[in-house]
Amino acid sequence: MNEKQRLESQQAKQQTSFQKQEKDYSQYFQTVYMPPSLKDARKRGREEIEYHKDFEIPDELREIGQGRKFYIRTYGCQMNEHDTEVMAGIFMELGYRHTETIEDADVILLNTCAIRENAENKVFGELGHLKPLKLEKPDLLIGVCGCMSQEESVVNRILQKHHFVDMIFGTHNIHRLPQILNEAYMSKEMVIEVWSKEGDIIENLPKVRMGNIKAWVNIMYGCDKFCTYCIVPYTRGKERSRRPEDIIQEVRQLAAQGYKEITLLGQNVNAYGKDFDDMEYGLGDLMDDLRKVDIPRIRFTTSHPRDFDDRLIEVLAKKGNLVEHIHLPVQSGSSDILKIMGRVYTREQFLELVRKIKAAIPDVALSTDIIVGFPNETDEQFEETLSLYREVGFETAYTFIYSPREGTPAARMKDNVSMEVKKERLQRLNQLVNEFSAKAMKKYEGQIVEVLVEGESKTNPDILSGYTRKNKLVNFKGPKSAIGQLVHVKINEAKTWTLDGVMVEEREAVEVNCNG
Ligand code: 5AD
Ligand code: SF4
């Protein structure tokens, strides 16, 4: 390209981004009514990801929260929990105060999860409970946000049956909370703002973190994997990575503030960096850079086996602040089921990945997610899941019965497996999960482990509790001054899910290898 062509191309780029800004600017003022579309949410690659570093609250909205309190109820995954932290940050900047008591709130938000039907039913149940409160207190604002708001069927159901809801906004619209609240105060209509777009990246959003020991840091958003059962790619948009410098700076700031553990978040963190067109930089590179930050522990979730590359394994093997626990969802042990799930790996490829991970990190602890009762899953295919679980030696798992999600390809598949059979399979799988967890825990008896102390135990204020590097919950006797610190605990007794022990003087703590 000669100089003239280069300049023309640069001008054209500037022109496009200017037009885009113009378009966004007008959206900023228009009255909001944008119902979602799962069909539009499926599209990939048409829109360019817009990167904003300029989140700002308009001056005229800065005081709208004066004298008012907000309450947010969060459903679902850590991504949602973290979105709640951002929304809480925006509320605080608008002058609202936080309340834990629903009856005291002037704004109630339900930050929802769409992953399975029972998650959605809980939200509709909660909406039913909120109706009398709204009748008693007409000035109360009730909002539904998060993944469910990205679904057409949910928005239609709320429009038809839950007229008392004041606001519905989507996962791409969180940064517009000030404008949405303002609109809800001004208008008698339900305010709906759900962009079925591929998604932007917005930096500089305020956050109120839920604790001061562990923190979540988004490294990427969205998912392009489109596993056939999963609604997430529709509700969370296209895979888009934050710039490494923004992530590293956020982790450094958290370290300086005294946080001890960071969990890097993304729906499919192994695809990190694949959308950068100016450099080759993946999750392995990011972890290698974060390894040098002075913070005791760094984790990440969630992994997709397909994109789990050798570079990442090599970096994780360096350990230091990179913990030796990997959550690696397998979903099924049958290659045929994996194929119709659209997971793009076979049982053998998964086992090969596990072999490589264990060769590089012999004391690694692996956990997983499994779906039972996928449409037409046979007994033999289910047995393959059990045998894979044993072969890998997972230490724990989140297990689910398949739940059809409207708009996904699997929801259109005919299913010959009865609910009774699905429940039986879940029970059998859970028995195996318990057995393997108990076995992994038993090996800790007599060992000394490093524990990040989070606080008093939920059931007994005389007991402290915290987690090991491999994410095992430890309950132990120790002084309150240990809260927020890394301490050493000698394990006396292992239960199926927890370890009991006593605090001991500092010494090299070794977490045992359950696979060994
Ligand atoms: N039904 C059941 N479980 C599901 N998951 C995702 N979609 C579904 C569904 N439709 C599970 C997967 C995923 C975890 C977060 O939720 O196991 O890893
Ligand atoms: Fe859903 Fe698959 Fe993406 Fe995970 S990788 S969020 S299961 S589509």
Side-chain angles (χ1 to χ4, degrees):
M1 194 189 278
N2 65 32
E3 187 59 11
K4 184 165 169 266
Q5 283 168 327
R6 199 184 58 77
L7 277 174
E8 275 171 3
S9 142
Q10 200 176 352
Q11 271 167 1
K13 268 192 205 141
Q14 277 169 357
Q15 188 70 18
T16 344
S17 72
F18 180 67
Q19 280 162 357
K20 282 215 175 93
Q21 274 177 12
E22 282 278 306
K23 191 188 83 194
D24 273 354
Y25 201 58
S26 65
Q27 275 173 351
Y28 185 89
F29 290 109
Q30 79 191 180
T31 304
V32 254
Y33 183 92
M34 285 182 234
S37 152
L38 283 182
K39 206 166 130 240
D40 285 351
R42 200 189 150 81
K43 292 179 187 148
R44 285 292 183 269
R46 279 181 328 119
E47 279 174 36
E48 247 180 53
I49 297 300
E50 286 174 38
Y51 179 86
H52 303 260
K53 246 192 144 133
D54 50 359
F55 175 80
E56 230 178 275
I57 293 190
D59 282 343
E60 67 278 16
L61 302 185
R62 270 191 190 281
E63 304 289 311
I64 64 169
Q66 284 305 329
R68 290 172 164 151
K69 291 186 191 160
F70 73 95
Y71 173 98
I72 309 178
R73 176 159 294 177
T74 314
Y75 300 81
C77 65
Q78 288 127 320
M79 192 68 81
N80 265 20
E81 297 272 1
H82 190 46
D83 284 350
T84 290
E85 294 183 331
V86 171
M87 290 191 285
I90 298 177
F91 271 119
M92 300 299 265
E93 289 212 351
L94 291 170
Y96 288 85
R97 278 182 305 135
H98 173 242
T99 176
E100 280 292 333
T101 317
I102 216 159
E103 290 76 18
D104 280 353
D106 301 289
V107 185
I108 298 173
L109 287 187
L110 303 184
N111 186 7
T112 62
C113 168
I115 200 108
R116 280 169 293 274
E117 198 185 349
N118 57 2
E120 297 205 354
N121 289 344
K122 276 191 216 156
V123 171
F124 283 115
E126 185 59 29
L127 278 178
H129 291 139
L130 291 178
K131 189 173 178 180
L133 206 61
K134 174 77 182 182
L135 293 177
E136 237 174 69
K137 230 172 130 177
D139 289 343
L140 171 70
L141 286 187
I142 296 181
V144 176
C145 58
C147 288
M148 278 171 71
S149 351
Q150 296 287 145
E151 296 178 280
E152 288 148 77
S153 58
V154 168
V155 173
N156 288 335
R157 183 167 163 188
I158 295 177
L159 275 167
Q160 282 162 12
K161 296 200 181 146
H162 303 278
H163 301 183
F164 59 93
V165 169
D166 302 282
M167 309 170 277
I168 307 180
F169 59 97
T171 56
H172 302 301
N173 307 72
I174 287 176
H175 64 291
R176 301 245 321 138
L177 182 57
Q179 289 81 4
I180 294 167
L181 284 165
N182 190 39
E183 189 72 25
Y185 286 125
M186 313 280 263
S187 149
K188 288 200 164 56
E189 305 294 313
M190 194 186 294
V191 177
I192 305 177
E193 185 180 302
V194 186
W195 291 339
S196 300
K197 59 190 298 176
E198 294 174 7
D200 295 338
I201 292 191
I202 321 243
E203 293 293 341
N204 290 349
L205 286 169
K207 292 171 194 107
V208 176
R209 299 199 184 259
M210 279 175 229
N212 52 10
I213 303 168
K214 301 208 281 196
W216 289 304
V217 172
N218 277 125
I219 63 167
M220 63 181 301
Y221 305 93
C223 179
D224 287 350
K225 284 285 177 280
F226 286 102
C227 300
T228 56
Y229 51 82
C230 187
I231 194 76
V232 168
Y234 305 81
T235 61
R236 290 278 177 177
K238 170 168 160 164
E239 281 173 2
R240 51 209 192 276
S241 308
R242 287 180 70 199
R243 302 294 303 181
E245 55 278 14
D246 291 332
I247 298 169
I248 294 166
Q249 191 198 13
E250 187 174 343
V251 174
R252 281 214 185 104
Q253 276 170 356
L254 290 165
Q257 287 163 24
Y259 283 88
K260 299 284 191 306
E261 183 175 307
I262 301 294
T263 303
L264 306 177
L265 289 183
Q267 254 84 30
N268 172 18
V269 287
N270 299 79
Y272 177 77
K274 290 197 191 301
D275 52 323
F276 293 150
D277 45 23
D278 59 339
M279 61 174 170
E280 290 272 323
Y281 188 93
L283 183 61
D285 302 304
L286 179 67
M287 296 303 274
D288 208 20
D289 283 337
L290 290 174
R291 204 168 56 79
K292 295 158 200 153
V293 179
D294 186 15
I295 191 151
R297 290 180 182 179
I298 301 183
R299 313 178 179 278
F300 57 89
T301 197
T302 253
S303 276
H304 191 297
R306 167 71 189 214
D307 295 319
F308 208 111
D309 57 25
D310 292 350
R311 166 80 176 132
L312 177 61
I313 299 177
E314 168 206 316
V315 172
L316 294 180
K318 298 182 188 175
K319 295 204 182 167
N321 59 5
L322 310 181
V323 299
E324 44 284 335
H325 168 225
I326 301 172
H327 186 67
L328 194 58
V330 65
Q331 312 298 359
S332 166
S334 150
S335 293
D336 289 339
I337 292 286
L338 288 169
K339 189 158 184 201
I340 48 172
M341 282 179 163
R343 292 291 289 177
V344 284
Y345 55 84
T346 60
R347 173 189 175 98
E348 290 69 34
Q349 284 167 332
F350 185 85
L351 287 171
E352 173 57 17
L353 172 63
V354 168
R355 192 199 57 71
K356 279 203 271 185
I357 294 175
K358 286 185 182 175
I361 315 164
D363 60 341
V364 71
L366 295 172
S367 55
T368 196
D369 290 350
I370 293 175
I371 298 177
V372 301
F374 193 73
N376 308 312
E377 182 191 56
T378 63
D379 275 335
E380 292 73 28
Q381 288 166 335
F382 172 64
E383 291 294 334
E384 286 187 80
T385 297
L386 297 180
S387 73
L388 178 112
Y389 198 92
R390 287 193 195 95
E391 198 166 332
V392 173
F394 286 114
E395 296 199 6
T396 183
Y398 296 103
T399 57
F400 312 101
I401 290 183
Y402 164 70
S403 167
R405 305 286 62 219
E406 196 181 316
T408 61
R412 293 191 289 275
M413 295 176 192
K414 278 221 161 66
D415 187 2
N416 63 9
V417 190
S418 70
M419 188 43 86
E420 204 187 334
V421 169
K422 290 179 196 237
K423 284 186 179 160
E424 255 170 46
R425 286 183 189 162
L426 183 70
Q427 238 182 4
R428 279 187 62 201
L429 175 61
N430 285 344
Q431 267 168 14
L432 186 69
V433 171
N434 290 354
E435 189 191 308
F436 270 68
S437 174
K439 210 163 90 180
M441 297 305 241
K442 194 82 190 153
K443 297 200 174 164
Y444 283 89
E445 283 184 355
Q447 305 281 333
I448 294 173
V449 288
E450 179 200 88
V451 177
L452 175 56
V453 191
E454 291 189 16
E456 291 168 3
S457 138
K458 285 197 185 104
T459 48
N460 180 352
D462 295 334
I463 298 285
L464 299 179
S465 66
Y467 288 86
T468 70
R469 283 171 67 91
K470 294 186 189 176
N471 227 15
K472 309 291 184 207
L473 178 60
V474 181
N475 294 313
F476 64 99
K477 286 213 175 86
K480 300 267 185 280
S481 58
I483 295 174
Q485 304 302 317
L486 287 154
V487 302
H488 292 100
V489 175
K490 178 152 192 208
I491 305 302
N492 300 326
E493 194 189 344
K495 307 204 167 123
T496 307
W497 300 110
T498 58
L499 301 168
D500 287 350
V502 285
M503 204 170 127
V504 292
E505 285 300 298
E506 191 156 334
R507 220 201 73 172
E508 179 81 343
V510 194
E511 269 203 71
V512 283
N513 174 14
C514 107
N515 307 311

